[in-house]
Amino acid sequence: MIHSLFLVNSSGDIFLEKHWKSVVSRSVCDYFFEAQERATEPENVPPVIPTPHHYLISVLRHRIYFVAVIQSEVPPLFVIEFLHRVVDTFQDYFGVCTEAAIKDNVVVVYELLEEMLDNGFPLATESNILKELIKPPTILRTMVNTITGSTNVGEQLPTGQLSVVPWRRTGVKYTNNEAYFDVVEEIDVIIDKSGSTITAEIQGVIDACVKLTGMPDLTLSFMNPRLLDDVSFHPCVRFKRWEAERILSFIPPDGNFRLLSYHVSSQNGYPVGYRSLVAIPVYVKHNITFREGSSQGRFDLTLGPKQTMGKGVEAVLVSSQLPRGVLNANLSASQGTYTFDPVTKMLTWDVGKINPQKLPSLKGSMSLQAGASKPDENPSINIQFKIQQMAISGLKVNRLDMYGEKYKPFKGIKYMTKAGKFQVRT
Amino acid sequence: MSASSAFSDEKGGSSSVGEPEYGHDPASGGIFSSDYKRHDDLKEMLDSNKDSLKLEAMKRIVAMIARGKNTSDLFPAVVKNVACKNIEDPNQLIRASALRVLSSIRVTIIVPIMMLAIKEAASDMSPYVRKTAAHAIPKLYSLDPEQKDQLIEVIEKLLADKTTLVAGSVVMAFEEVCPERIDLIHKNYRKLCNLLVDVEEWGQVVIINMLTRYARTQFLNPNLNECLLEEGGESTFYGSDADQDEDEDEDKKDEALSKRKPYVMDPDHRLLLRNTKPLLQSRNAAVVMAVAQLYFHLAPKAEVGVIAKALVRLLRSHSEVQYVVLQNVATMTIKRRGMFEPYLKSFYIRSTDPTQIKVLKLEVLTNLASETNISTILREFQTYIKSMDKDFVAATIQAIGRCATHIGEVRDTCLNGLVQLLSNRDELVVAESVVVIKKLLQMQPEKHSDIIKHMAKLTDNIQVPMARASILWLIGEYCEHVPKIAPDVLRKMAKTFTNEEDIVKLQIINLAAKLYLTNSKQTKLLTQYVLNLAKYDQNYDIRDRARFIRQLIVPTDKCGALSKYAKKLILALKPAPILESPFKDRDHFQLGSLSHLLNTKAGGYQELPDWPQDAPDPSVRNVEVPEWTKCSSREKRKEKKVEKPFYSDSEGESGPTESADSGNSTFYSDSASSSASGSEQSGSGSEESEESEERSDSDEEEEEEEEEAKKRKTQKKEPIEATISPSGSLKSYELLHRITGEGLWVEYCFSRQPFLPDPHMVAVQIQFTNSAATEAKSLRLEEAKLQSGMRVKEFPEIEVLPAGESATVVMGVDFCDSTQAANLQLCTHSRKFFVSIQPPVGELMTPSFMTENEFKKEQGQLMGMNEITEKMQLPERCQNEHAIVQRVIAAANLSRVPCGSDKEFAGRTVTSGSLVLVTVATKESGPSQLTINCEKMVIGTMLVKDILLALTQ
């Protein structure tokens, strides 16, 4: 399956390699570099590149390419999914996944890679099992290791691998027992020039942080479970129970994990009489024009809240890729600050919080190249925002119960809506 | 390099179990270092039972290594002591890691130890150790492929394991070592299906992919007669006259077949579909994709739709995941458009998508375009054309062109839109539009002469060579529609000819030629001017083209016949190009595979087999004691029925229940089964009566067939026996493997009998064995690709070969005295197999009787180039005369010259009758000598090799 792994940074240096079978020469990455050169943007490097003797499958995360070398037929998604899992694990261990973090923890990185794959086939990818085998680095442990020369390899035998619930370690103990759930929804929208919604979808997740003693068995029920029609679960969720009763029943992993993710769309794939529209929490009024013959363009943008159930829209950030002909933008913002990068032609406006009484606006003129004809295209506007204490789909958790243990845990639910790929065409 | 040092560092960590023993008190090694013993002693010490002896041996070895002595031959013994100790540890985790360390040592010398360890671990109490054993199998296999047979035994054993921990790993090993041994899966099939949900996610992917292949060999195509299935839910199986099938072009034969025998899904097939469906909800994209491809390849059409939602959900994932999923969706949308139509808008493109994702989404949108949604799609495309990403704009224009060719109603709309793009400021956009417009105009040129005129004007501005070439071609091709403009364009082009790109130059020549033929009065001089320019061009393609065109169109006295047809040649009606998706027909690769993504076969790709015509015996999957616990009443019912092997393919779940499952879109098997059981009771009456009817029908048929077969057998008995060679021990070769032949097993041997119908042919005796559950009909051979000169005399067709029987026939092949294989087609009533018969050189001759004198005389005439001599050392057991004679005659079809002083053999080649003389001269001491005299040197050299091999081994 996976033969070798190369880590390539943004300047094209291989800064780490790992081989699970025989050693494959680094020169195999030349094919990757060639493809990288051909691609105009970093994200346009094809994920699968055939070479005469190998196949290269790569993912790009945090400006690092993870290039896996494959020798024979294997489902590409298998490798891609695994590589993403590797990145997630690094992030879990080191907090960030950067070249510096990987280089600082190179021993742990190799230990992890060795445990995650055996002869190229995934062995232990579950975070709990890995943490039992290899302790995540802490400042104290790093210091002790430097002085005593010991490693992060766990002292105890990793019994988690044998358990029927491989995602949970045994003998967990906490003084404060707590279970927190975050319902986070991202809304993906395309709005066309006239302001009508072309597509709107909600991508939701429930992330959990569960620190409970022993082997608790949790059930989570919803007020409106019918919303969750397109879901994917963490392996701990009992699927049969969900099918029959629409209740999430599970023995939780220890610590942070993603319980489920779901997808709500406004499309006609839905049963009749069912909520068919996704509410759009903000609206945009825009007027961006270029006149023929003139070297000036007008830019006028106003944002306003809509269907937010009284909750405030925060952390609003507007960005737009202006046409190549634009030399500079001379705008004034009613609130927040804007920047225009004349090289990349990227306009960003950090709005902050939207005040419904005084709507934020950005107005002014753009100067164009003298003599050049007016740009064909109008820029599209990307918006980011956050709304606390609201799930835009209307999903509500009914109750959380715990069985199997005697103590009373602290429970908490938090809702949040964020803009995903929120795009307005002008 | 820090990375490599860390690598070794970490290696040390993983093998740390062994480290302390090696490094045990190295100082003491110094005492023994002077004590010099041979390795055998050390080996003995290591093998002994006493720990103290072992320890001492270890110390000495360490000392030797320290002094730089080569102790590599002691390696296995050391490994055995170090690792094997841990392999017997009471703690399962230590046993497992010990095996993992041992199996990771890539040194051939420890293969036997590894094999032993794997075998032991495979029957370990702990499933975790057994899992590790499964992981070790591919490692050993890559180290030494010779161990395959033994490893298959281990795999077979582990496949029977009932724990989820082992299942994924052993199937992985199965796929690496012996993916062709589908027969090993039978007994474990149901268990694998039932365990699947609880297997770890990576294992799930491997198992699902393997089961997809398995199902394709064992079950019937559920979509072959789906119209019947749909109607079956409402009333009966029979009497479905109206064929409502819209987009499936089934041929008449299949229809007829299906009417006779209604399709009922094998319960095992259903089991697989039902048990994989929940995995569409997996968080792992690879698992979702695996299930999606399984449904695409195996599920009835009505049920495939469920995967669309899951695949669309994956589009929110990382861009690499999107890339792979979109590629697969693109292939799916060509076959099953309806499935993704509700999700059209999920494929809309955002300006922030990477270009490669944009292009793929565009491909999907184009595939999804239909009369009903085309206006929405075109409106969307309009926004894309304004994008700043020019590569993407070009792709959009192509997509518009494809929509226009497929959907007639919008052709004019698209064309108008594209013509508007001609005034776009970006040259690339204009150029791409020109190329697409050219293709569209070719479909109906007469209606669009104004567009052609418009395009003619563009030649002044457009510089992109491909676009210029396209315009020129259009004007030339349809010059009759623009009679005034065309000559003027040629005039302008003649002026700039020397500065044009090569493709443009070629089109200018074409334009000139076409105008010359239609309007020679105005363009004669221009054409000659252009041809003269082309004559001295630097590119020889252009010079060639000019020369060719001149000869063709300008009549001279020398060239004759062709120029009469010049008009027909150059102005022939050209068919309009078909704009096709690059994803068309990609589904012959298993979806989700690397090969599918690259559209070429990747190494190690296992072909997705075609559905069988008749289902193989389903009883092979029966297990004596059903192991799985979740045996619902429904499954019990299935079990009971499956036990009657002959009829089970027409039984199992009945049609009505089936359609209850698929018809109403309940997604969850619980509710589905409850509804199914409801309709089961109501439908049971009719079902049974049908069954009994069928049974009596087929009973009769079968009896008749059996009798017939018996008759045939008795008739055939004698001639067959006569052909069997008296020599008895003939070497037989496999012609068709039992697995590829789906139960039909064919072997052949060279009977060494003269082939009576034609003496210039070699007699080949073929034995058919039918090990399938159903009878094989009309077995015959057809010539496929024979080498020139080769001839074949087929055997008479075997009409019926009942299950479990075998038959032998003889055919003749004229190999033309060469060892080239005869490639044939073996046909049954339903399938064709390509097979080849490869003759060893020794079978290309017949014995020839001659006296010693004659032999010597002939030999004297075949000297020099025709004589080949080889010295050899005969092994002891074939030094006596008898052994030599036996071996030579086994290797080649020759006869011994009686009473010869040496061992002499003679024969003639079958086709040409050239003499083949073989002499084996043995001496009391020293090497023996093999001499071959033969006119045909190729045969001689090959025969020397074969006989040498036969004598020395």
Side-chain angles (χ1 to χ4, degrees), chain A residues 167-184:
Chain A
W167 55 84
R168 189 173 179 87
R169 18 182 213 122
T170 47
V172 187
K173 266 212 173 97
Y174 289 101
T175 41
N176 292 327
N177 288 297
E178 44 193 24
Y180 296 121
F181 294 87
D182 288 355
V183 179
V184 182

Side-chain angles (χ1 to χ4, degrees), chain A residues 4 12-13 18 24 33 36 64 68 82 101 104 119 142 162 170 175 187 199 222 238 247-248 256 283 313 329 374 377:
Chain A
S4 306
D13 298 323
K18 163 86 185 136
V24 178
F33 296 137
Q36 203 183 3
I64 300 171
F82 176 79
D104 285 349
N119 194 37
T142 319
L162 311 169
T170 47
T175 41
I187 173 164
T199 82
F222 298 95
R238 297 187 180 96
I247 283 174
L248 290 177
N256 295 314
Y283 70 86
V313 184
K374 102 179 173 70
E377 65 274 342

Side-chain angles (χ1 to χ4, degrees), chain B residues 289 323-333 591-593 596-597:
Chain B
M289 188 66 232
Y323 178 81
V324 177
V325 171
L326 284 169
Q327 296 249 359
N328 286 289
V329 170
T331 305
M332 289 183 191
T333 44
L591 283 163
S593 68
H596 167 267
L597 190 88

Side-chain angles (χ1 to χ4, degrees), chain B residues 521-540:
Chain B
K521 208 188 271 173
Q522 269 187 304
T523 57
K524 190 172 179 183
L525 287 171
L526 268 175
T527 307
Q528 281 186 341
Y529 176 67
V530 167
L531 288 177
N532 277 335
L533 284 177
K535 191 174 171 185
Y536 299 106
D537 199 90
Q538 288 193 331
N539 184 310
Y540 71 68

Side-chain angles (χ1 to χ4, degrees), chain B residues 580-593:
Chain B
E580 266 181 349
S581 165
F583 287 87
K584 194 170 177 278
D585 289 336
R586 254 205 221 181
D587 64 332
H588 65 270
F589 287 115
Q590 188 167 3
L591 283 163
S593 68

Side-chain angles (χ1 to χ4, degrees), chain A residues 73 161 188 231 373 377, chain B residues 128 281 316 386 425 595:
Chain A
E73 174 65 50
Q161 275 164 304
D188 290 357
V231 272
S373 48
E377 65 274 342
Chain B
Y128 186 67
Q281 246 100 12
R316 260 303 302 242
K386 290 184 194 144
R425 220 167 283 110
S595 304

Side-chain angles (χ1 to χ4, degrees), chain A residues 342-375:
Chain A
V343 181
T344 58
K345 314 290 182 199
M346 185 61 86
L347 175 77
T348 40
W349 176 28
D350 191 350
V351 184
K353 204 171 152 108
I354 295 183
N355 179 359
Q357 269 73 52
K358 192 169 160 288
L359 296 178
S361 64
L362 184 68
K363 285 177 192 163
S365 63
M366 297 172 285
S367 50
L368 297 165
Q369 223 158 0
S373 48
K374 102 179 173 70

Side-chain angles (χ1 to χ4, degrees), chain B residues 220-262:
Chain B
L220 293 176
N221 186 353
N223 293 321
L224 208 60
N225 37 24
E226 54 179 340
C227 51
L228 279 165
L229 187 80
E230 276 155 25
E231 278 163 51
E234 289 152 22
S235 53
T236 55
F237 285 125
Y238 303 100
S240 61
D241 294 350
D243 187 2
Q244 296 172 342
D245 210 347
E246 284 154 18
D247 41 6
E248 287 245 332
D249 45 328
E250 292 168 24
D251 48 39
K252 284 267 155 33
K253 198 180 122 199
D254 283 344
E255 243 170 73
L257 191 116
S258 63
K259 272 177 196 167
R260 201 155 37 81
K261 206 167 91 186

